Amino acid sequence: MSTEKQILVLGGTVFLSLAIARHALERGHRVTVASRGTTGEPPEGAEFVKLDRATGEGLDALRGRAFDAVFDVARIPAHVGPVLDALAGNASHWSFVSTISVYKHFDAVSDDLHEPTAADSTDPSLEAYGASKVACEQLVRERLGDKAFITRPGLIVGPADRNDRLGYWPLRFAEGGEVLAPGPRERPVQWIDVDDYASWLLDAADTGEHGTVDAIDEPLGFGAFLDQVGDALTEHGVLAERPDLTWVSQEFLLEQGVNPWSGPDSLGMWVPTPDYDGFQTRPTGPAVAAGFRASRLGDTVRRWWDANAAAPQLKAGLTRQKEGEVLAAWHDAPVGEGLAGLDAERRFAVPRAETPAYDG
């Protein structure tokens, strides 16, 4: 166990920031959680400070206090500057959670970034998300220098993901029957486990890691991904037999109104290929060099199942009724039916990745 430290988590009540606070407490650190307190409860044992970045409420309660490590998941640049003014001078290490949505291109791996928004921008729109995170990164680097560790996650998965992008698949497998799968099988899919991420960020604070790296595990083909989900559930005693997978072309899925990525009528973790192949194949080497170690997918699936098995219910995704309609249409469709009549904007209207770590 590491020496007790003073830890500040800006957020600390939802998903990644909650996991960071929880893991820090388990390591024996003294943890302060600062948030609006409207999206959830901080973990037991943490000090709570009410903080509203939009108004500045709560900053005085933190001003002048010293912290060994600060963790922030903010997305609005105007909410970052005042916190840095109040805390940067007394923070030994600053971990900022950004996003791979800072990159301009998703069809191939590229390091070209969006132009940043203004440092005082308050635009909360999804369209400004990547550019806003670029501006947030710049503010943190300017104030913290080599005390700043900036990580850019892709899809963060785990039991408390409010979008249930990973969770769609173990629950659907457990229900059995014919399962709609988004072809082709070799389509890449990439993620990071929320507990692995939280543990790594705390380790990085201990070792003084700094710089900017992507936060992501090695990609898998979608077929291998679903095979490993099935393996995990079988080994865990959830499945007696594997469900039947029907691989449906992405063109037909889009034509039938199935949405990529997340939300209503979506297939979790699916985005079109090749337009998003770069988004799903970011390099993992820099994160590994900075100390990141990933769980096996089977362990991530089992953690999700154990956390949700008592009352398994998806918060997002494709309904069984919609899935049945699409499967019926697929079986009746003429060979070769696809995207005729759909323009490019309709075919690949996929939102930029939004980090589920953000909790306001």
Side-chain angles (χ1 to χ4, degrees):
M1 180 181 295
S2 58
T3 304
E4 179 185 89
K5 293 186 175 182
Q6 296 283 349
I7 303 293
L8 173 64
V9 182
L10 297 166
T13 62
V14 173
F15 203 37
L16 175 60
S17 63
L18 177 60
I20 294 169
R22 178 170 51 81
H23 279 266
L25 287 165
E26 291 171 356
R27 294 184 182 204
H29 297 316
R30 299 188 65 177
V31 178
T32 300
V33 165
S35 74
R36 293 174 300 171
T38 59
T39 54
E41 296 293 327
E44 184 177 355
E47 174 194 2
F48 176 73
V49 173
K50 184 174 178 60
L51 172 65
D52 187 340
R53 293 175 185 256
T55 65
E57 179 186 358
L59 280 176
D60 287 345
L62 297 170
R63 204 181 307 274
R65 294 180 57 177
F67 294 98
D68 296 296
V70 176
F71 299 87
D72 193 10
V73 297
R75 65 183 293 182
I76 305 296
H79 295 173
V80 172
V83 170
L84 289 169
D85 290 342
L87 300 173
N90 290 320
S92 300
H93 187 269
W94 197 285
S95 183
F96 180 72
V97 176
S98 186
T99 171
I100 62 170
S101 285
V102 297
Y103 299 116
K104 291 174 65 174
H105 307 292
F106 277 178
D107 57 341
V109 174
S110 168
D111 291 334
D112 292 339
L113 302 179
H114 287 287
E115 288 298 318
T117 63
D120 60 354
S121 172
T122 58
D123 186 353
S125 69
L126 187 59
E127 291 74 19
Y129 179 61
S132 293
K133 281 287 197 177
V134 174
C136 292
E137 287 186 7
Q138 290 183 348
L139 288 167
V140 172
R141 287 192 199 93
E142 289 167 2
R143 292 298 300 273
L144 276 302
D146 62 6
K147 293 194 296 182
F149 186 48
I150 297 171
T151 52
R152 295 169 173 167
L155 172 59
I156 308 173
V157 302
D161 178 10
R162 290 174 290 177
N163 295 298
D164 267 338
R165 284 166 284 206
L166 170 72
Y168 175 86
W169 295 107
L171 183 55
R172 180 64 193 91
F173 272 37
E175 291 177 347
E178 184 183 13
V179 175
L180 178 66
R185 287 179 56 92
E186 62 271 17
R187 168 199 319 278
V189 59
Q190 199 172 27
W191 65 90
I192 185 168
D193 179 292
V194 66
D195 288 301
D196 293 345
Y197 195 7
S199 182
W200 173 41
L201 292 180
L202 288 163
D203 289 344
D206 286 342
T207 58
E209 290 290 344
H210 61 276
T212 303
V213 297
D214 291 339
I216 203 74
D217 197 0
E218 289 285 352
L220 276 180
F222 219 99
F225 166 75
L226 293 185
D227 287 343
Q228 291 188 30
V229 170
D231 289 343
L233 295 176
T234 301
E235 294 168 4
H236 206 42
V238 176
L239 296 182
E241 60 182 28
R242 298 296 184 89
D244 297 322
L245 298 182
T246 296
W247 291 91
V248 175
S249 73
Q250 66 180 26
E251 292 83 5
F252 192 81
L253 292 175
L254 292 163
E255 195 173 59
Q256 294 294 314
V258 178
N259 294 318
W261 192 238
S262 68
D265 289 338
S266 68
L267 283 175
M269 305 181 74
W270 162 56
V271 289
T273 186
D275 293 59
Y276 284 80
D277 284 359
F279 169 70
Q280 296 282 50
T281 54
R282 296 295 308 178
T284 60
V288 172
F292 174 64
R293 299 295 179 267
S295 294
R296 295 189 311 120
L297 174 58
D299 294 332
T300 298
V301 170
R302 282 190 289 273
R303 284 196 288 268
W304 185 93
W305 184 264
D306 290 343
N308 290 277
Q313 183 176 0
L314 286 175
K315 297 176 282 293
L318 198 65
T319 65
R320 299 293 79 79
Q321 178 180 347
K322 178 67 175 178
E323 181 189 32
E325 293 170 354
V326 175
L327 285 169
W330 173 254
H331 292 308
D332 290 342
V335 174
E337 184 171 308
L339 278 175
L342 292 181
D343 61 30
E345 183 178 358
R346 167 63 183 86
R347 286 177 4 227
F348 300 119
V350 183
R352 293 281 177 177
E354 62 176 311
T355 173
Y358 176 68
D359 62 11

